[in-house]
Amino acid sequence: MKKTIAMAALAVAVSFGAVSCKKKVSDADLQTQATTVVTSNPSASVEVKDGVAHLSGTFETQQAKDAMIAQLKAITGVKEVMDMATVAPAAAPVETQSAVAPEVQQKVKDALKDFPSVKVEVVNGELTLTGNASPTQARKIKESVDALKVGKVNFNYTVK
């Protein structure tokens, strides 16, 4: 009987010892792991205190934010993730419109159809002529384009 009680006491002592010997992960180790996870989003950051990860910053989508929270929760030793992050509002589409009307571009292209080495482009919102032309062609090109009265035109072609 004494032997049975002694064995039971020893078993209880060993089980308490095993439970209390469970290794606790330090906040510094958790911070390192959490920071590694968060580096995939440069506008987010994380701080770990007492095993709780505090996520902050901005995410492009709710799905990206939820995925980050799931990855942080998957780290062994993280008890909870406090979500202090925000989702950026979707940017409104910006309509880009050429400063030069397409019909003006077409008029100039038609005027230059006899000069295939000169191209009509819109560069930085301005009508620009590029390519190569002889001195005689350059004079004819300038006269033709000026006669159209289309406004400012950059004559950036090379005269050879």
Side-chain angles (χ1 to χ4, degrees):
M1 177 94 158
K2 274 186 172 182
K3 208 174 189 182
T4 306
I5 293 175
M7 290 294 260
L10 182 61
V12 169
V14 168
S15 66
F16 280 127
V19 170
S20 64
C21 289
K22 183 179 178 186
K23 185 177 179 182
K24 183 181 179 204
V25 182
S26 72
D27 280 346
D29 291 338
L30 290 175
Q31 179 69 46
T32 301
Q33 292 177 43
T35 302
T36 302
V37 167
V38 173
T39 55
S40 64
N41 184 352
S43 62
S45 62
V46 66
E47 183 178 325
V48 178
K49 184 169 173 111
D50 298 327
V52 178
H54 299 267
L55 179 64
S56 59
T58 305
F59 290 85
E60 288 188 23
T61 64
Q62 183 65 41
Q63 292 82 6
K65 181 176 145 182
D66 293 343
M68 184 70 63
I69 291 170
Q71 288 176 335
L72 289 171
K73 285 181 178 179
I75 297 173
T76 303
V78 171
K79 300 173 192 171
E80 184 180 0
V81 176
M82 298 300 292
D83 177 15
M84 298 179 289
T86 58
V87 176
V94 177
E95 285 189 35
T96 57
Q97 187 175 10
S98 174
V100 180
E103 30 317 324
V104 171
Q105 290 179 30
Q106 191 59 48
K107 281 182 185 179
V108 175
K109 284 180 184 179
D110 290 344
L112 299 178
K113 67 180 179 237
D114 295 331
F115 307 103
S117 62
V118 177
K119 304 288 182 227
V120 179
E121 302 173 333
V122 177
V123 178
N124 295 329
E126 295 180 346
L127 201 57
T128 304
L129 305 181
T130 58
N132 298 310
S134 69
T136 307
Q137 289 176 327
R139 188 173 353 95
K140 287 181 183 178
I141 291 169
K142 177 127 176 64
E143 289 171 359
S144 298
V145 173
D146 287 346
L148 294 173
K149 298 183 191 258
V150 294
K152 181 165 173 52
V153 177
N154 294 320
F155 296 93
N156 288 347
Y157 51 79
T158 305
V159 178
K160 291 184 180 182

